[in-house]
Structure formats: structure tokens, C-alpha cells
Amino acid sequence: DAGVTQSPTHLIKTRGQQVTLRCSPKSGHDTVSWYQQALGQGPQFIFQYYEEEERQRGNFPDRFSGHQFPNYSSELNVNALLLGDSALYLCASSLAMAGQGETQYFGPGTRLLVL
Amino acid sequence: LAKTTQPISMDSYEGQEVNITCSHNNIATNDYITWYQQFPSQGPRFIIQGYKTKVTNEVASLFIPADRKSSTLSLPRVSLSDTAVYYCLVGDGIKAAGNKLTFGGGTRVLVKP
């Protein structure tokens, strides 16, 4: 049973460029959430996708956008990259109708460096 | 989600028991308490979740007093590989899977030989 997978593992971009990160959820999960984790800090919620729609959004600008596909996989897009966008980007999957005690499961992350 | 407060860091030695206490004074009736472990450059890993009293799994135990305003994660007989950051989160466990998770700064645990 595959867990959450993300690609690529590492990425280097320059300011102003655009980037797309990909996530495949754990088998059986239908909800994908994205988090940004700066060095030395806890993960910060970006947004969540369920049924191919953005359901919740954190305090991130419109430069951050996403998409969920019919197979529940998801993409995170960041436009007009800034130096401050350098971080570990984490994808977490879950089951929207999960029962008691269920929670989100994280992938290994994509390390983005903006130069 | 209720705000949590936990120590910034803790040191321990191999074979010892590590206890990390998290304060969550404004926990709501429906809130569950969840702990994650994170190694450098990896995603957080779910450790344990509980609502009241004591929960134990193969990795850790979670102690929750009757007033539920705090909780203690207990890691028995730690090894060097338990060196990580541990996050305490509080939220509606039933809906946590569908809600955003709010992480604080976590507790950096260093296990020494």
C-alpha cells in the first residue's frame, strides 16, 4: 500500500519563474492538503482540495494555486517566485469521510530553492 | 483550532523515557489531541491521537488528564533515531482528516548516546 508520494524531491528556480509540484495521495484517500514549511518552523497550511475543488485556504497569496485530478492526485503551482518561497512543500492526504481518530498523512516533501 | 504550548527543546539519553507535555487550555469538547514526529527534510509522521485518559500504541503513549487542558506524549526507551521534532496539535479529530492542521513550533528532542 503506497503512501503519499511527491515529485520532484528537489527543485531550484530563479526569482520570477513558475513552479509545479505534484502529489499522489495514499491509496483510498480523496482529500489532499498542501503545506509550506520554512526552515526551523512548523508547516503552514496553504490549501486543501476535495472533489477537484479548493475547499479551504490558508493565508497565502493568489500566486499559489492548485488543482486536483479525478484520480485524486494534486498539483501545487506557484507563480512569480520570490526568494521567500524557498521552503519544503508538503502534501498530506486524508479521507474526507474518515471516522474517529483518523488524520492526515504526509509525503516526504519537495525542497524548493529560489535563487 | 485550540492553541498549543510545548517546550522548545529537550535533551535525553538512549534508553531513557522521554515525556513531552503540551498545554491546550482552550481545548473544545470535540477536540482530539494528535502528535506528529518529523525528521529533517521529511514530512511529519503521525504518532498517536487521543481524546481522554490514556492511549498506547507500538510507538508511544499519550496521557490526557480529566480536564484535558494538557497532554503528555511518552516515548519509552528512546534511541538515537528518536531525535526529531515533535508537534502537538489539537482539533476535531473526527473532522481533522478534512480540516487544516495548525502546527506550532514543536519540541526538538535530542537523544544523546
Side-chain angles (χ1 to χ4, degrees), chain B residues 5-29:
Chain B
T5 302
Q6 52 184 124
I8 294 175
S9 64
M10 297 179 67
D11 288 357
S12 184
Y13 291 91
E14 283 188 292
Q16 289 189 336
E17 179 181 78
V18 171
N19 296 306
I20 308 171
T21 296
C22 178
S23 297
H24 28 80
N25 292 319
N26 59 339
I27 188 169
T29 302

PDB file of all heavy atoms in Angstrom, chain B residues 5-29:
ATOM      1  N   THR B   5       0.886  24.905  23.539  1.00  0.00           N
ATOM      2  CA  THR B   5       2.186  25.365  24.016  1.00  0.00           C
ATOM      3  C   THR B   5       2.984  24.162  24.454  1.00  0.00           C
ATOM      4  O   THR B   5       2.510  23.351  25.261  1.00  0.00           O
ATOM      5  CB  THR B   5       2.018  26.329  25.202  1.00  0.00           C
ATOM      6  OG1 THR B   5       1.207  27.444  24.803  1.00  0.00           O
ATOM      7  CG2 THR B   5       3.378  26.849  25.648  1.00  0.00           C
ATOM      8  N   GLN B   6       4.188  24.032  23.928  1.00  0.00           N
ATOM      9  CA  GLN B   6       5.057  22.923  24.284  1.00  0.00           C
ATOM     10  C   GLN B   6       6.489  23.430  24.375  1.00  0.00           C
ATOM     11  O   GLN B   6       6.819  24.470  23.799  1.00  0.00           O
ATOM     12  CB  GLN B   6       4.928  21.775  23.277  1.00  0.00           C
ATOM     13  CG  GLN B   6       5.086  22.156  21.817  1.00  0.00           C
ATOM     14  CD  GLN B   6       4.851  21.003  20.870  1.00  0.00           C
ATOM     15  OE1 GLN B   6       4.006  21.081  19.979  1.00  0.00           O
ATOM     16  NE2 GLN B   6       5.607  19.937  21.014  1.00  0.00           N
ATOM     17  N   PRO B   7       7.350  22.710  25.128  1.00  0.00           N
ATOM     18  CA  PRO B   7       8.726  23.180  25.272  1.00  0.00           C
ATOM     19  C   PRO B   7       9.435  23.236  23.923  1.00  0.00           C
ATOM     20  O   PRO B   7       9.152  22.455  23.010  1.00  0.00           O
ATOM     21  CB  PRO B   7       9.359  22.129  26.201  1.00  0.00           C
ATOM     22  CG  PRO B   7       8.446  20.961  26.171  1.00  0.00           C
ATOM     23  CD  PRO B   7       7.080  21.478  25.867  1.00  0.00           C
ATOM     24  N   ILE B   8      10.371  24.173  23.803  1.00  0.00           N
ATOM     25  CA  ILE B   8      11.086  24.343  22.544  1.00  0.00           C
ATOM     26  C   ILE B   8      12.013  23.164  22.281  1.00  0.00           C
ATOM     27  O   ILE B   8      12.112  22.669  21.160  1.00  0.00           O
ATOM     28  CB  ILE B   8      11.885  25.652  22.561  1.00  0.00           C
ATOM     29  CG1 ILE B   8      10.942  26.844  22.614  1.00  0.00           C
ATOM     30  CG2 ILE B   8      12.789  25.751  21.326  1.00  0.00           C
ATOM     31  CD1 ILE B   8      11.640  28.172  22.755  1.00  0.00           C
ATOM     32  N   SER B   9      12.672  22.693  23.329  1.00  0.00           N
ATOM     33  CA  SER B   9      13.629  21.600  23.142  1.00  0.00           C
ATOM     34  C   SER B   9      13.772  20.771  24.405  1.00  0.00           C
ATOM     35  O   SER B   9      13.441  21.232  25.507  1.00  0.00           O
ATOM     36  CB  SER B   9      14.999  22.155  22.732  1.00  0.00           C
ATOM     37  OG  SER B   9      15.524  22.953  23.765  1.00  0.00           O
ATOM     38  N   MET B  10      14.250  19.538  24.224  1.00  0.00           N
ATOM     39  CA  MET B  10      14.519  18.629  25.336  1.00  0.00           C
ATOM     40  C   MET B  10      15.685  17.737  24.937  1.00  0.00           C
ATOM     41  O   MET B  10      15.773  17.308  23.785  1.00  0.00           O
ATOM     42  CB  MET B  10      13.308  17.738  25.636  1.00  0.00           C
ATOM     43  CG  MET B  10      12.071  18.459  26.081  1.00  0.00           C
ATOM     44  SD  MET B  10      10.707  17.314  26.381  1.00  0.00           S
ATOM     45  CE  MET B  10      11.317  16.440  27.802  1.00  0.00           C
ATOM     46  N   ASP B  11      16.538  17.458  25.919  1.00  0.00           N
ATOM     47  CA  ASP B  11      17.633  16.516  25.696  1.00  0.00           C
ATOM     48  C   ASP B  11      17.386  15.255  26.508  1.00  0.00           C
ATOM     49  O   ASP B  11      16.826  15.318  27.611  1.00  0.00           O
ATOM     50  CB  ASP B  11      18.974  17.124  26.122  1.00  0.00           C
ATOM     51  CG  ASP B  11      19.442  18.211  25.169  1.00  0.00           C
ATOM     52  OD1 ASP B  11      18.755  18.446  24.149  1.00  0.00           O
ATOM     53  OD2 ASP B  11      20.479  18.828  25.439  1.00  0.00           O
ATOM     54  N   SER B  12      17.802  14.128  25.987  1.00  0.00           N
ATOM     55  CA  SER B  12      17.670  12.877  26.707  1.00  0.00           C
ATOM     56  C   SER B  12      18.826  11.961  26.323  1.00  0.00           C
ATOM     57  O   SER B  12      19.653  12.321  25.475  1.00  0.00           O
ATOM     58  CB  SER B  12      16.334  12.215  26.374  1.00  0.00           C
ATOM     59  OG  SER B  12      16.154  11.040  27.143  1.00  0.00           O
ATOM     60  N   TYR B  13      18.868  10.782  26.933  1.00  0.00           N
ATOM     61  CA  TYR B  13      19.905   9.796  26.625  1.00  0.00           C
ATOM     62  C   TYR B  13      19.259   8.500  26.178  1.00  0.00           C
ATOM     63  O   TYR B  13      18.108   8.202  26.533  1.00  0.00           O
ATOM     64  CB  TYR B  13      20.796   9.562  27.851  1.00  0.00           C
ATOM     65  CG  TYR B  13      21.658  10.750  28.187  1.00  0.00           C
ATOM     66  CD1 TYR B  13      21.211  11.720  29.074  1.00  0.00           C
ATOM     67  CD2 TYR B  13      22.910  10.904  27.597  1.00  0.00           C
ATOM     68  CE1 TYR B  13      21.995  12.829  29.364  1.00  0.00           C
ATOM     69  CE2 TYR B  13      23.697  11.997  27.882  1.00  0.00           C
ATOM     70  CZ  TYR B  13      23.238  12.961  28.763  1.00  0.00           C
ATOM     71  OH  TYR B  13      24.023  14.054  29.046  1.00  0.00           O
ATOM     72  N   GLU B  14      19.988   7.753  25.417  1.00  0.00           N
ATOM     73  CA  GLU B  14      19.492   6.472  24.933  1.00  0.00           C
ATOM     74  C   GLU B  14      18.988   5.614  26.092  1.00  0.00           C
ATOM     75  O   GLU B  14      19.614   5.551  27.143  1.00  0.00           O
ATOM     76  CB  GLU B  14      20.597   5.706  24.211  1.00  0.00           C
ATOM     77  CG  GLU B  14      20.897   6.197  22.812  1.00  0.00           C
ATOM     78  CD  GLU B  14      21.855   5.267  22.091  1.00  0.00           C
ATOM     79  OE1 GLU B  14      23.030   5.189  22.482  1.00  0.00           O
ATOM     80  OE2 GLU B  14      21.417   4.604  21.125  1.00  0.00           O
ATOM     81  N   GLY B  15      17.864   4.960  25.879  1.00  0.00           N
ATOM     82  CA  GLY B  15      17.312   4.062  26.876  1.00  0.00           C
ATOM     83  C   GLY B  15      16.401   4.727  27.883  1.00  0.00           C
ATOM     84  O   GLY B  15      15.680   4.025  28.613  1.00  0.00           O
ATOM     85  N   GLN B  16      16.420   6.061  27.917  1.00  0.00           N
ATOM     86  CA  GLN B  16      15.557   6.762  28.865  1.00  0.00           C
ATOM     87  C   GLN B  16      14.158   6.945  28.299  1.00  0.00           C
ATOM     88  O   GLN B  16      13.934   6.802  27.095  1.00  0.00           O
ATOM     89  CB  GLN B  16      16.155   8.126  29.221  1.00  0.00           C
ATOM     90  CG  GLN B  16      17.398   8.062  30.090  1.00  0.00           C
ATOM     91  CD  GLN B  16      17.810   9.433  30.593  1.00  0.00           C
ATOM     92  OE1 GLN B  16      17.488  10.460  29.988  1.00  0.00           O
ATOM     93  NE2 GLN B  16      18.533   9.465  31.706  1.00  0.00           N
ATOM     94  N   GLU B  17      13.229   7.282  29.172  1.00  0.00           N
ATOM     95  CA  GLU B  17      11.873   7.625  28.760  1.00  0.00           C
ATOM     96  C   GLU B  17      11.805   9.147  28.588  1.00  0.00           C
ATOM     97  O   GLU B  17      12.298   9.900  29.425  1.00  0.00           O
ATOM     98  CB  GLU B  17      10.876   7.165  29.814  1.00  0.00           C
ATOM     99  CG  GLU B  17       9.423   7.514  29.480  1.00  0.00           C
ATOM    100  CD  GLU B  17       8.468   7.058  30.577  1.00  0.00           C
ATOM    101  OE1 GLU B  17       8.395   7.752  31.604  1.00  0.00           O
ATOM    102  OE2 GLU B  17       7.805   6.025  30.396  1.00  0.00           O
ATOM    103  N   VAL B  18      11.202   9.562  27.509  1.00  0.00           N
ATOM    104  CA  VAL B  18      11.039  10.994  27.243  1.00  0.00           C
ATOM    105  C   VAL B  18       9.561  11.356  27.346  1.00  0.00           C
ATOM    106  O   VAL B  18       8.706  10.701  26.722  1.00  0.00           O
ATOM    107  CB  VAL B  18      11.570  11.367  25.847  1.00  0.00           C
ATOM    108  CG1 VAL B  18      11.194  12.805  25.504  1.00  0.00           C
ATOM    109  CG2 VAL B  18      13.086  11.203  25.798  1.00  0.00           C
ATOM    110  N   ASN B  19       9.280  12.370  28.122  1.00  0.00           N
ATOM    111  CA  ASN B  19       7.907  12.850  28.289  1.00  0.00           C
ATOM    112  C   ASN B  19       7.818  14.300  27.833  1.00  0.00           C
ATOM    113  O   ASN B  19       8.537  15.150  28.347  1.00  0.00           O
ATOM    114  CB  ASN B  19       7.457  12.730  29.739  1.00  0.00           C
ATOM    115  CG  ASN B  19       7.408  11.293  30.198  1.00  0.00           C
ATOM    116  OD1 ASN B  19       6.761  10.453  29.569  1.00  0.00           O
ATOM    117  ND2 ASN B  19       8.093  10.995  31.287  1.00  0.00           N
ATOM    118  N   ILE B  20       6.952  14.577  26.883  1.00  0.00           N
ATOM    119  CA  ILE B  20       6.759  15.927  26.371  1.00  0.00           C
ATOM    120  C   ILE B  20       5.340  16.349  26.708  1.00  0.00           C
ATOM    121  O   ILE B  20       4.368  15.708  26.291  1.00  0.00           O
ATOM    122  CB  ILE B  20       6.947  15.994  24.843  1.00  0.00           C
ATOM    123  CG1 ILE B  20       8.280  15.354  24.432  1.00  0.00           C
ATOM    124  CG2 ILE B  20       6.891  17.450  24.385  1.00  0.00           C
ATOM    125  CD1 ILE B  20       8.425  15.206  22.933  1.00  0.00           C
ATOM    126  N   THR B  21       5.236  17.448  27.461  1.00  0.00           N
ATOM    127  CA  THR B  21       3.920  17.928  27.867  1.00  0.00           C
ATOM    128  C   THR B  21       3.484  19.092  26.988  1.00  0.00           C
ATOM    129  O   THR B  21       4.274  19.989  26.702  1.00  0.00           O
ATOM    130  CB  THR B  21       3.916  18.344  29.337  1.00  0.00           C
ATOM    131  OG1 THR B  21       4.186  17.191  30.136  1.00  0.00           O
ATOM    132  CG2 THR B  21       2.565  18.915  29.734  1.00  0.00           C
ATOM    133  N   CYS B  22       2.263  19.064  26.584  1.00  0.00           N
ATOM    134  CA  CYS B  22       1.674  20.095  25.731  1.00  0.00           C
ATOM    135  C   CYS B  22       0.490  20.706  26.477  1.00  0.00           C
ATOM    136  O   CYS B  22      -0.362  19.983  27.008  1.00  0.00           O
ATOM    137  CB  CYS B  22       1.219  19.462  24.423  1.00  0.00           C
ATOM    138  SG  CYS B  22       0.412  20.585  23.265  1.00  0.00           S
ATOM    139  N   SER B  23       0.436  22.021  26.524  1.00  0.00           N
ATOM    140  CA  SER B  23      -0.678  22.728  27.148  1.00  0.00           C
ATOM    141  C   SER B  23      -1.666  23.194  26.083  1.00  0.00           C
ATOM    142  O   SER B  23      -1.249  23.741  25.065  1.00  0.00           O
ATOM    143  CB  SER B  23      -0.175  23.935  27.939  1.00  0.00           C
ATOM    144  OG  SER B  23       0.667  23.522  28.992  1.00  0.00           O
ATOM    145  N   HIS B  24      -2.940  22.966  26.359  1.00  0.00           N
ATOM    146  CA  HIS B  24      -4.007  23.410  25.438  1.00  0.00           C
ATOM    147  C   HIS B  24      -5.205  23.804  26.273  1.00  0.00           C
ATOM    148  O   HIS B  24      -6.207  23.093  26.343  1.00  0.00           O
ATOM    149  CB  HIS B  24      -4.353  22.331  24.394  1.00  0.00           C
ATOM    150  CG  HIS B  24      -4.098  20.925  24.839  1.00  0.00           C
ATOM    151  ND1 HIS B  24      -4.964  20.230  25.645  1.00  0.00           N
ATOM    152  CD2 HIS B  24      -3.075  20.097  24.577  1.00  0.00           C
ATOM    153  CE1 HIS B  24      -4.485  19.027  25.862  1.00  0.00           C
ATOM    154  NE2 HIS B  24      -3.338  18.904  25.225  1.00  0.00           N
ATOM    155  N   ASN B  25      -5.084  24.961  26.928  1.00  0.00           N
ATOM    156  CA  ASN B  25      -6.069  25.397  27.904  1.00  0.00           C
ATOM    157  C   ASN B  25      -7.461  25.616  27.329  1.00  0.00           C
ATOM    158  O   ASN B  25      -8.458  25.497  28.045  1.00  0.00           O
ATOM    159  CB  ASN B  25      -5.593  26.670  28.599  1.00  0.00           C
ATOM    160  CG  ASN B  25      -4.388  26.410  29.482  1.00  0.00           C
ATOM    161  OD1 ASN B  25      -4.329  25.396  30.169  1.00  0.00           O
ATOM    162  ND2 ASN B  25      -3.433  27.309  29.468  1.00  0.00           N
ATOM    163  N   ASN B  26      -7.546  25.999  26.051  1.00  0.00           N
ATOM    164  CA  ASN B  26      -8.869  26.290  25.482  1.00  0.00           C
ATOM    165  C   ASN B  26      -9.352  25.170  24.562  1.00  0.00           C
ATOM    166  O   ASN B  26     -10.069  25.420  23.593  1.00  0.00           O
ATOM    167  CB  ASN B  26      -8.850  27.625  24.730  1.00  0.00           C
ATOM    168  CG  ASN B  26      -7.826  27.615  23.607  1.00  0.00           C
ATOM    169  OD1 ASN B  26      -6.909  26.818  23.614  1.00  0.00           O
ATOM    170  ND2 ASN B  26      -7.987  28.511  22.647  1.00  0.00           N
ATOM    171  N   ILE B  27      -9.012  23.953  24.900  1.00  0.00           N
ATOM    172  CA  ILE B  27      -9.442  22.810  24.100  1.00  0.00           C
ATOM    173  C   ILE B  27     -10.971  22.711  24.143  1.00  0.00           C
ATOM    174  O   ILE B  27     -11.594  22.916  25.183  1.00  0.00           O
ATOM    175  CB  ILE B  27      -8.782  21.511  24.600  1.00  0.00           C
ATOM    176  CG1 ILE B  27      -9.071  20.361  23.637  1.00  0.00           C
ATOM    177  CG2 ILE B  27      -9.197  21.192  26.029  1.00  0.00           C
ATOM    178  CD1 ILE B  27      -8.242  19.125  23.930  1.00  0.00           C
ATOM    179  N   ALA B  28     -11.564  22.418  23.010  1.00  0.00           N
ATOM    180  CA  ALA B  28     -13.023  22.325  22.917  1.00  0.00           C
ATOM    181  C   ALA B  28     -13.480  20.886  23.149  1.00  0.00           C
ATOM    182  O   ALA B  28     -12.692  19.943  23.051  1.00  0.00           O
ATOM    183  CB  ALA B  28     -13.496  22.808  21.543  1.00  0.00           C
ATOM    184  N   THR B  29     -14.756  20.748  23.421  1.00  0.00           N
ATOM    185  CA  THR B  29     -15.317  19.444  23.759  1.00  0.00           C
ATOM    186  C   THR B  29     -15.061  18.399  22.676  1.00  0.00           C
ATOM    187  O   THR B  29     -14.772  17.246  22.970  1.00  0.00           O
ATOM    188  CB  THR B  29     -16.830  19.560  23.987  1.00  0.00           C
ATOM    189  OG1 THR B  29     -17.061  20.505  25.030  1.00  0.00           O
ATOM    190  CG2 THR B  29     -17.427  18.217  24.371  1.00  0.00           C
TER     191      THR B  29
END
